[in-house]
Amino acid sequence: MTRPSWAPEGIDLDRPSASRVYDYFVGGMHNFEIDRELAQMIEKFTPNVAETMRANRDLLRRCVRFLTDAGIDQFLDLGSGIPTVGNVHEVAQARNPEARVVYVDIDPVAVAHSQAILDGNPLATIIHADMAQPDSILQDPEVLQLLDFDRPIAVLLLGVLHFVPDDADPAGAVAKLLRVCAPGSYVAITHATADGQPAEVLEAQKLSGRTSTEIVLRGHDEIATYFRDWTLLEPGLVQLPLWRPDNPDEVVEQPERSGAYGGLARKD
C-alpha cells in the first residue's frame, strides 16, 4: 500500500495499532485496513464498543471545555494516542490560542503519527514515555519547556489506566504525577470497567491482546482511589454519558453500556 504522509517511515503498516484502532472507532482517518479488521472483530463481541469509544472522546471534549473556561491553560495528556478528531489541543486552543498541551504515549506508532500531525504547532508536542514511570515524564525537557508545574495544570488520564497492569503500580504512578501539581490543578480520569457488563466484554478484552496493550478492567471503588484526596467534582465518578452531558435530556438509556467510568477532581 502507499504510505500516507502522516505515517512516517519505520511504522509497521502490517500490524494493528491500538491507537489506530481507537482512531477508527471515534471516526478518525488515521488508520489502516489491518486496524479496521481488528476493530470489526472486537465489534462482533461488543457491538457497543464504538459507542463506548465515542463516549470517552465526547467526555474529553466536555472536560477540556470546562477546564479551559475555568482558566486552565496547560494540559498534560497521558496515553493520548493519535491526537485527531477534536483532541485536547484542538478544543483548548479553539477557546484559548495560548493553551499549551503535552501529549504522552508509550506506543511508538502513536508518537510517530502524532509528531507528523503536530508539526508546526509550537504550543503542542508529544513525547514517547511510559506513564507507569512518571519521573521520566516530569523530567523530560519538552515537558519542562511547555508546562509550568508551579501553576495550575490539568492532568488527563482518559482511557489509559486500564492499559497499565497491576504489577506496574498504576496507583503509585498517578500519586507521583499529582504530587507535583500546584493547588488549583485538576485531574480527569476515565477507566474501563467490568461493572454491569455482559460476559462478551471479557471476550473482547482478550482481543486487545492482539495489540501491544491489553486492557485491565477495574471496579468503581478501585478507580475512585486514583483521585487520592483531591476534591471530586459533581457528579462524581459516573458512567461516561452521565458526566456533565451537553444536553441532560438526551442521555442514552442504560448509560452503563459505555463500559467505563469518568470523573474530574481538583487539588484544593
Side-chain angles (χ1 to χ4, degrees), residues 5 19 22 27 33 38 40 48 72 92 100 106 133 146 148 160-161 187 204 210 218-219 226 234 250 254-255 267:
S5 59
S19 298
Y22 181 78
E33 183 61 30
L38 177 56
Q40 289 156 11
N48 63 317
I72 297 296
R100 297 167 178 257
I106 193 174
Q133 299 177 2
L146 274 185
D148 179 2
V160 61
L161 287 169
V187 59
R210 289 278 302 277
R218 298 186 173 99
Y226 293 135
E234 292 294 334
E250 296 181 359
Q254 297 181 304
K267 186 174 186 176

PDB file of all heavy atoms in Angstrom, residues 5 19 22 27 33 38 40 48 72 92 100 106 133 146 148 160-161 187 204 210 218-219 226 234 250 254-255 267:
ATOM      1  N   SER A   5       1.389  10.521   4.084  1.00  0.00           N
ATOM      2  CA  SER A   5       2.365  11.456   4.649  1.00  0.00           C
ATOM      3  C   SER A   5       2.358  11.446   6.173  1.00  0.00           C
ATOM      4  O   SER A   5       3.375  11.744   6.804  1.00  0.00           O
ATOM      5  CB  SER A   5       2.088  12.878   4.142  1.00  0.00           C
ATOM      6  OG  SER A   5       0.783  13.287   4.513  1.00  0.00           O
ATOM      7  N   SER A  19      -3.705   2.423  19.028  1.00  0.00           N
ATOM      8  CA  SER A  19      -4.009   3.833  18.818  1.00  0.00           C
ATOM      9  C   SER A  19      -4.813   4.042  17.544  1.00  0.00           C
ATOM     10  O   SER A  19      -5.756   4.837  17.516  1.00  0.00           O
ATOM     11  CB  SER A  19      -2.705   4.644  18.744  1.00  0.00           C
ATOM     12  OG  SER A  19      -1.989   4.553  19.951  1.00  0.00           O
ATOM     13  N   TYR A  22      -8.405   2.747  17.975  1.00  0.00           N
ATOM     14  CA  TYR A  22      -9.191   3.755  18.687  1.00  0.00           C
ATOM     15  C   TYR A  22      -9.561   4.892  17.742  1.00  0.00           C
ATOM     16  O   TYR A  22     -10.708   5.373  17.742  1.00  0.00           O
ATOM     17  CB  TYR A  22      -8.396   4.284  19.876  1.00  0.00           C
ATOM     18  CG  TYR A  22      -9.126   5.332  20.696  1.00  0.00           C
ATOM     19  CD1 TYR A  22     -10.108   4.963  21.598  1.00  0.00           C
ATOM     20  CD2 TYR A  22      -8.823   6.679  20.560  1.00  0.00           C
ATOM     21  CE1 TYR A  22     -10.783   5.911  22.347  1.00  0.00           C
ATOM     22  CE2 TYR A  22      -9.485   7.639  21.301  1.00  0.00           C
ATOM     23  CZ  TYR A  22     -10.462   7.253  22.192  1.00  0.00           C
ATOM     24  OH  TYR A  22     -11.122   8.199  22.924  1.00  0.00           O
ATOM     25  N   GLY A  27     -14.053   7.694  14.605  1.00  0.00           N
ATOM     26  CA  GLY A  27     -14.316   8.336  13.324  1.00  0.00           C
ATOM     27  C   GLY A  27     -13.140   9.050  12.716  1.00  0.00           C
ATOM     28  O   GLY A  27     -13.311   9.887  11.814  1.00  0.00           O
ATOM     29  N   GLU A  33      -6.360  -0.689   6.955  1.00  0.00           N
ATOM     30  CA  GLU A  33      -7.257  -1.828   6.850  1.00  0.00           C
ATOM     31  C   GLU A  33      -7.000  -2.847   7.947  1.00  0.00           C
ATOM     32  O   GLU A  33      -7.941  -3.419   8.511  1.00  0.00           O
ATOM     33  CB  GLU A  33      -7.104  -2.488   5.483  1.00  0.00           C
ATOM     34  CG  GLU A  33      -8.062  -3.644   5.238  1.00  0.00           C
ATOM     35  CD  GLU A  33      -9.525  -3.216   5.287  1.00  0.00           C
ATOM     36  OE1 GLU A  33      -9.824  -2.064   4.950  1.00  0.00           O
ATOM     37  OE2 GLU A  33     -10.362  -4.059   5.695  1.00  0.00           O
ATOM     38  N   LEU A  38      -9.284  -5.566  12.865  1.00  0.00           N
ATOM     39  CA  LEU A  38      -9.296  -5.904  14.288  1.00  0.00           C
ATOM     40  C   LEU A  38     -10.466  -5.225  14.980  1.00  0.00           C
ATOM     41  O   LEU A  38     -11.149  -5.836  15.815  1.00  0.00           O
ATOM     42  CB  LEU A  38      -7.980  -5.489  14.948  1.00  0.00           C
ATOM     43  CG  LEU A  38      -7.890  -5.729  16.465  1.00  0.00           C
ATOM     44  CD1 LEU A  38      -8.160  -7.183  16.817  1.00  0.00           C
ATOM     45  CD2 LEU A  38      -6.538  -5.279  17.007  1.00  0.00           C
ATOM     46  N   GLN A  40     -13.324  -4.489  13.751  1.00  0.00           N
ATOM     47  CA  GLN A  40     -14.554  -5.190  13.390  1.00  0.00           C
ATOM     48  C   GLN A  40     -14.682  -6.524  14.115  1.00  0.00           C
ATOM     49  O   GLN A  40     -15.789  -6.958  14.458  1.00  0.00           O
ATOM     50  CB  GLN A  40     -14.613  -5.365  11.871  1.00  0.00           C
ATOM     51  CG  GLN A  40     -14.866  -4.049  11.147  1.00  0.00           C
ATOM     52  CD  GLN A  40     -14.381  -4.028   9.723  1.00  0.00           C
ATOM     53  OE1 GLN A  40     -14.010  -5.068   9.156  1.00  0.00           O
ATOM     54  NE2 GLN A  40     -14.378  -2.854   9.103  1.00  0.00           N
ATOM     55  N   ASN A  48     -21.442  -2.436  21.037  1.00  0.00           N
ATOM     56  CA  ASN A  48     -21.490  -1.053  21.502  1.00  0.00           C
ATOM     57  C   ASN A  48     -20.098  -0.454  21.716  1.00  0.00           C
ATOM     58  O   ASN A  48     -19.969   0.633  22.283  1.00  0.00           O
ATOM     59  CB  ASN A  48     -22.276  -0.958  22.813  1.00  0.00           C
ATOM     60  CG  ASN A  48     -21.605  -1.728  23.950  1.00  0.00           C
ATOM     61  OD1 ASN A  48     -21.133  -2.843  23.727  1.00  0.00           O
ATOM     62  ND2 ASN A  48     -21.563  -1.148  25.133  1.00  0.00           N
ATOM     63  N   ILE A  72      -7.750  27.058  33.111  1.00  0.00           N
ATOM     64  CA  ILE A  72      -6.605  26.172  32.894  1.00  0.00           C
ATOM     65  C   ILE A  72      -6.082  26.381  31.471  1.00  0.00           C
ATOM     66  O   ILE A  72      -6.849  26.328  30.500  1.00  0.00           O
ATOM     67  CB  ILE A  72      -6.997  24.700  33.109  1.00  0.00           C
ATOM     68  CG1 ILE A  72      -7.430  24.476  34.552  1.00  0.00           C
ATOM     69  CG2 ILE A  72      -5.842  23.773  32.737  1.00  0.00           C
ATOM     70  CD1 ILE A  72      -6.352  24.707  35.590  1.00  0.00           C
ATOM     71  N   ALA A  92      -8.857  22.972  23.329  1.00  0.00           N
ATOM     72  CA  ALA A  92      -8.325  24.002  24.227  1.00  0.00           C
ATOM     73  C   ALA A  92      -7.893  25.241  23.459  1.00  0.00           C
ATOM     74  O   ALA A  92      -8.208  26.377  23.853  1.00  0.00           O
ATOM     75  CB  ALA A  92      -7.159  23.438  25.033  1.00  0.00           C
ATOM     76  N   ARG A 100      -1.362  25.394  26.216  1.00  0.00           N
ATOM     77  CA  ARG A 100      -0.219  24.516  25.946  1.00  0.00           C
ATOM     78  C   ARG A 100      -0.592  23.075  26.270  1.00  0.00           C
ATOM     79  O   ARG A 100      -1.237  22.813  27.287  1.00  0.00           O
ATOM     80  CB  ARG A 100       0.995  24.944  26.791  1.00  0.00           C
ATOM     81  CG  ARG A 100       1.483  26.346  26.446  1.00  0.00           C
ATOM     82  CD  ARG A 100       2.470  26.888  27.469  1.00  0.00           C
ATOM     83  NE  ARG A 100       2.940  28.201  27.071  1.00  0.00           N
ATOM     84  CZ  ARG A 100       4.147  28.430  26.517  1.00  0.00           C
ATOM     85  NH1 ARG A 100       4.993  27.420  26.340  1.00  0.00           N
ATOM     86  NH2 ARG A 100       4.491  29.643  26.155  1.00  0.00           N
ATOM     87  N   ILE A 106       3.048   5.677  25.171  1.00  0.00           N
ATOM     88  CA  ILE A 106       4.068   4.625  25.180  1.00  0.00           C
ATOM     89  C   ILE A 106       4.194   3.953  23.823  1.00  0.00           C
ATOM     90  O   ILE A 106       5.186   3.296  23.528  1.00  0.00           O
ATOM     91  CB  ILE A 106       3.736   3.573  26.268  1.00  0.00           C
ATOM     92  CG1 ILE A 106       4.938   2.653  26.515  1.00  0.00           C
ATOM     93  CG2 ILE A 106       2.484   2.790  25.898  1.00  0.00           C
ATOM     94  CD1 ILE A 106       4.730   1.683  27.667  1.00  0.00           C
ATOM     95  N   GLN A 133       6.079   5.213  34.554  1.00  0.00           N
ATOM     96  CA  GLN A 133       7.376   5.733  35.001  1.00  0.00           C
ATOM     97  C   GLN A 133       7.307   7.264  35.000  1.00  0.00           C
ATOM     98  O   GLN A 133       7.906   7.938  34.148  1.00  0.00           O
ATOM     99  CB  GLN A 133       8.492   5.220  34.096  1.00  0.00           C
ATOM    100  CG  GLN A 133       8.615   3.706  34.090  1.00  0.00           C
ATOM    101  CD  GLN A 133       9.666   3.199  33.129  1.00  0.00           C
ATOM    102  OE1 GLN A 133      10.362   3.959  32.473  1.00  0.00           O
ATOM    103  NE2 GLN A 133       9.796   1.889  33.050  1.00  0.00           N
ATOM    104  N   LEU A 146       7.333  23.401  28.023  1.00  0.00           N
ATOM    105  CA  LEU A 146       5.976  23.869  27.744  1.00  0.00           C
ATOM    106  C   LEU A 146       5.118  24.046  28.993  1.00  0.00           C
ATOM    107  O   LEU A 146       4.233  24.905  29.013  1.00  0.00           O
ATOM    108  CB  LEU A 146       5.267  22.901  26.794  1.00  0.00           C
ATOM    109  CG  LEU A 146       5.472  23.112  25.291  1.00  0.00           C
ATOM    110  CD1 LEU A 146       4.609  22.138  24.495  1.00  0.00           C
ATOM    111  CD2 LEU A 146       5.135  24.544  24.879  1.00  0.00           C
ATOM    112  N   ASP A 148       4.435  24.533  33.236  1.00  0.00           N
ATOM    113  CA  ASP A 148       4.940  25.106  34.484  1.00  0.00           C
ATOM    114  C   ASP A 148       4.146  24.491  35.636  1.00  0.00           C
ATOM    115  O   ASP A 148       2.982  24.845  35.859  1.00  0.00           O
ATOM    116  CB  ASP A 148       4.773  26.628  34.449  1.00  0.00           C
ATOM    117  CG  ASP A 148       5.248  27.303  35.729  1.00  0.00           C
ATOM    118  OD1 ASP A 148       5.753  26.596  36.634  1.00  0.00           O
ATOM    119  OD2 ASP A 148       5.097  28.532  35.832  1.00  0.00           O
ATOM    120  N   VAL A 160      -6.485   5.473  29.763  1.00  0.00           N
ATOM    121  CA  VAL A 160      -5.103   4.972  29.759  1.00  0.00           C
ATOM    122  C   VAL A 160      -4.807   4.025  30.920  1.00  0.00           C
ATOM    123  O   VAL A 160      -4.066   3.046  30.749  1.00  0.00           O
ATOM    124  CB  VAL A 160      -4.087   6.140  29.760  1.00  0.00           C
ATOM    125  CG1 VAL A 160      -4.233   7.004  30.994  1.00  0.00           C
ATOM    126  CG2 VAL A 160      -2.661   5.622  29.616  1.00  0.00           C
ATOM    127  N   LEU A 161      -5.385   4.262  32.087  1.00  0.00           N
ATOM    128  CA  LEU A 161      -5.007   3.460  33.250  1.00  0.00           C
ATOM    129  C   LEU A 161      -5.403   1.997  33.100  1.00  0.00           C
ATOM    130  O   LEU A 161      -4.770   1.120  33.699  1.00  0.00           O
ATOM    131  CB  LEU A 161      -5.638   4.044  34.518  1.00  0.00           C
ATOM    132  CG  LEU A 161      -5.003   5.358  35.002  1.00  0.00           C
ATOM    133  CD1 LEU A 161      -5.852   6.000  36.086  1.00  0.00           C
ATOM    134  CD2 LEU A 161      -3.586   5.119  35.490  1.00  0.00           C
ATOM    135  N   VAL A 187      -7.393  16.787  37.839  1.00  0.00           N
ATOM    136  CA  VAL A 187      -7.085  15.506  37.218  1.00  0.00           C
ATOM    137  C   VAL A 187      -8.391  14.906  36.707  1.00  0.00           C
ATOM    138  O   VAL A 187      -9.402  14.880  37.425  1.00  0.00           O
ATOM    139  CB  VAL A 187      -6.375  14.525  38.174  1.00  0.00           C
ATOM    140  CG1 VAL A 187      -7.211  14.220  39.412  1.00  0.00           C
ATOM    141  CG2 VAL A 187      -6.002  13.240  37.434  1.00  0.00           C
ATOM    142  N   ALA A 204     -14.066  -9.644  24.422  1.00  0.00           N
ATOM    143  CA  ALA A 204     -13.481  -8.545  23.651  1.00  0.00           C
ATOM    144  C   ALA A 204     -12.170  -8.089  24.285  1.00  0.00           C
ATOM    145  O   ALA A 204     -11.230  -7.693  23.593  1.00  0.00           O
ATOM    146  CB  ALA A 204     -14.456  -7.378  23.566  1.00  0.00           C
ATOM    147  N   ARG A 210      -4.240  -8.718  20.998  1.00  0.00           N
ATOM    148  CA  ARG A 210      -3.729  -8.759  19.636  1.00  0.00           C
ATOM    149  C   ARG A 210      -2.852  -7.549  19.340  1.00  0.00           C
ATOM    150  O   ARG A 210      -2.059  -7.546  18.432  1.00  0.00           O
ATOM    151  CB  ARG A 210      -4.907  -8.785  18.637  1.00  0.00           C
ATOM    152  CG  ARG A 210      -5.675 -10.097  18.603  1.00  0.00           C
ATOM    153  CD  ARG A 210      -4.958 -11.105  17.718  1.00  0.00           C
ATOM    154  NE  ARG A 210      -4.798 -10.584  16.381  1.00  0.00           N
ATOM    155  CZ  ARG A 210      -5.742 -10.626  15.431  1.00  0.00           C
ATOM    156  NH1 ARG A 210      -6.926 -11.149  15.697  1.00  0.00           N
ATOM    157  NH2 ARG A 210      -5.511 -10.135  14.227  1.00  0.00           N
ATOM    158  N   ARG A 218     -11.306  -2.658  35.824  1.00  0.00           N
ATOM    159  CA  ARG A 218     -11.318  -2.460  37.277  1.00  0.00           C
ATOM    160  C   ARG A 218     -12.673  -1.929  37.709  1.00  0.00           C
ATOM    161  O   ARG A 218     -13.430  -1.369  36.917  1.00  0.00           O
ATOM    162  CB  ARG A 218     -10.188  -1.506  37.699  1.00  0.00           C
ATOM    163  CG  ARG A 218      -8.788  -2.029  37.373  1.00  0.00           C
ATOM    164  CD  ARG A 218      -7.673  -1.145  37.915  1.00  0.00           C
ATOM    165  NE  ARG A 218      -6.355  -1.761  37.715  1.00  0.00           N
ATOM    166  CZ  ARG A 218      -5.524  -1.436  36.716  1.00  0.00           C
ATOM    167  NH1 ARG A 218      -5.858  -0.504  35.837  1.00  0.00           N
ATOM    168  NH2 ARG A 218      -4.358  -2.051  36.606  1.00  0.00           N
ATOM    169  N   GLY A 219     -12.958  -2.094  39.002  1.00  0.00           N
ATOM    170  CA  GLY A 219     -14.245  -1.686  39.541  1.00  0.00           C
ATOM    171  C   GLY A 219     -14.274  -0.237  39.997  1.00  0.00           C
ATOM    172  O   GLY A 219     -13.230   0.424  40.126  1.00  0.00           O
ATOM    173  N   TYR A 226      -7.786   6.413  42.634  1.00  0.00           N
ATOM    174  CA  TYR A 226      -6.771   7.131  41.858  1.00  0.00           C
ATOM    175  C   TYR A 226      -6.852   8.644  42.048  1.00  0.00           C
ATOM    176  O   TYR A 226      -5.873   9.357  41.818  1.00  0.00           O
ATOM    177  CB  TYR A 226      -6.898   6.805  40.369  1.00  0.00           C
ATOM    178  CG  TYR A 226      -6.573   5.376  40.010  1.00  0.00           C
ATOM    179  CD1 TYR A 226      -7.387   4.655  39.139  1.00  0.00           C
ATOM    180  CD2 TYR A 226      -5.453   4.741  40.529  1.00  0.00           C
ATOM    181  CE1 TYR A 226      -7.100   3.344  38.799  1.00  0.00           C
ATOM    182  CE2 TYR A 226      -5.151   3.433  40.203  1.00  0.00           C
ATOM    183  CZ  TYR A 226      -5.979   2.732  39.338  1.00  0.00           C
ATOM    184  OH  TYR A 226      -5.689   1.438  39.002  1.00  0.00           O
ATOM    185  N   GLU A 234     -18.825  17.389  41.066  1.00  0.00           N
ATOM    186  CA  GLU A 234     -20.092  16.775  40.671  1.00  0.00           C
ATOM    187  C   GLU A 234     -20.083  16.468  39.172  1.00  0.00           C
ATOM    188  O   GLU A 234     -19.492  17.218  38.407  1.00  0.00           O
ATOM    189  CB  GLU A 234     -21.252  17.726  40.991  1.00  0.00           C
ATOM    190  CG  GLU A 234     -21.496  17.922  42.485  1.00  0.00           C
ATOM    191  CD  GLU A 234     -21.975  16.652  43.174  1.00  0.00           C
ATOM    192  OE1 GLU A 234     -22.577  15.795  42.475  1.00  0.00           O
ATOM    193  OE2 GLU A 234     -21.753  16.509  44.375  1.00  0.00           O
ATOM    194  N   GLU A 250     -30.909  14.233  26.676  1.00  0.00           N
ATOM    195  CA  GLU A 250     -30.568  13.304  25.602  1.00  0.00           C
ATOM    196  C   GLU A 250     -29.624  12.187  26.054  1.00  0.00           C
ATOM    197  O   GLU A 250     -29.051  11.482  25.229  1.00  0.00           O
ATOM    198  CB  GLU A 250     -29.943  14.063  24.427  1.00  0.00           C
ATOM    199  CG  GLU A 250     -30.909  15.046  23.763  1.00  0.00           C
ATOM    200  CD  GLU A 250     -30.282  15.778  22.596  1.00  0.00           C
ATOM    201  OE1 GLU A 250     -29.087  15.529  22.326  1.00  0.00           O
ATOM    202  OE2 GLU A 250     -30.976  16.589  21.961  1.00  0.00           O
ATOM    203  N   GLN A 254     -29.605   3.174  29.622  1.00  0.00           N
ATOM    204  CA  GLN A 254     -28.563   2.227  30.033  1.00  0.00           C
ATOM    205  C   GLN A 254     -27.156   2.818  29.836  1.00  0.00           C
ATOM    206  O   GLN A 254     -26.345   2.295  29.083  1.00  0.00           O
ATOM    207  CB  GLN A 254     -28.687   0.919  29.250  1.00  0.00           C
ATOM    208  CG  GLN A 254     -29.995   0.181  29.500  1.00  0.00           C
ATOM    209  CD  GLN A 254     -30.057  -1.122  28.721  1.00  0.00           C
ATOM    210  OE1 GLN A 254     -29.917  -1.144  27.494  1.00  0.00           O
ATOM    211  NE2 GLN A 254     -30.244  -2.209  29.441  1.00  0.00           N
ATOM    212  N   PRO A 255     -26.842   3.915  30.522  1.00  0.00           N
ATOM    213  CA  PRO A 255     -25.521   4.528  30.367  1.00  0.00           C
ATOM    214  C   PRO A 255     -24.375   3.601  30.758  1.00  0.00           C
ATOM    215  O   PRO A 255     -23.228   3.821  30.343  1.00  0.00           O
ATOM    216  CB  PRO A 255     -25.593   5.754  31.290  1.00  0.00           C
ATOM    217  CG  PRO A 255     -26.681   5.440  32.260  1.00  0.00           C
ATOM    218  CD  PRO A 255     -27.682   4.643  31.484  1.00  0.00           C
ATOM    219  N   LYS A 267      -7.392  19.867  42.988  1.00  0.00           N
ATOM    220  CA  LYS A 267      -6.489  19.946  44.135  1.00  0.00           C
ATOM    221  C   LYS A 267      -6.730  21.278  44.837  1.00  0.00           C
ATOM    222  O   LYS A 267      -6.485  22.346  44.271  1.00  0.00           O
ATOM    223  CB  LYS A 267      -5.025  19.847  43.692  1.00  0.00           C
ATOM    224  CG  LYS A 267      -4.029  19.786  44.839  1.00  0.00           C
ATOM    225  CD  LYS A 267      -2.624  19.542  44.329  1.00  0.00           C
ATOM    226  CE  LYS A 267      -1.641  19.323  45.467  1.00  0.00           C
ATOM    227  NZ  LYS A 267      -0.275  18.997  44.957  1.00  0.00           N
TER     228      LYS A 267
END
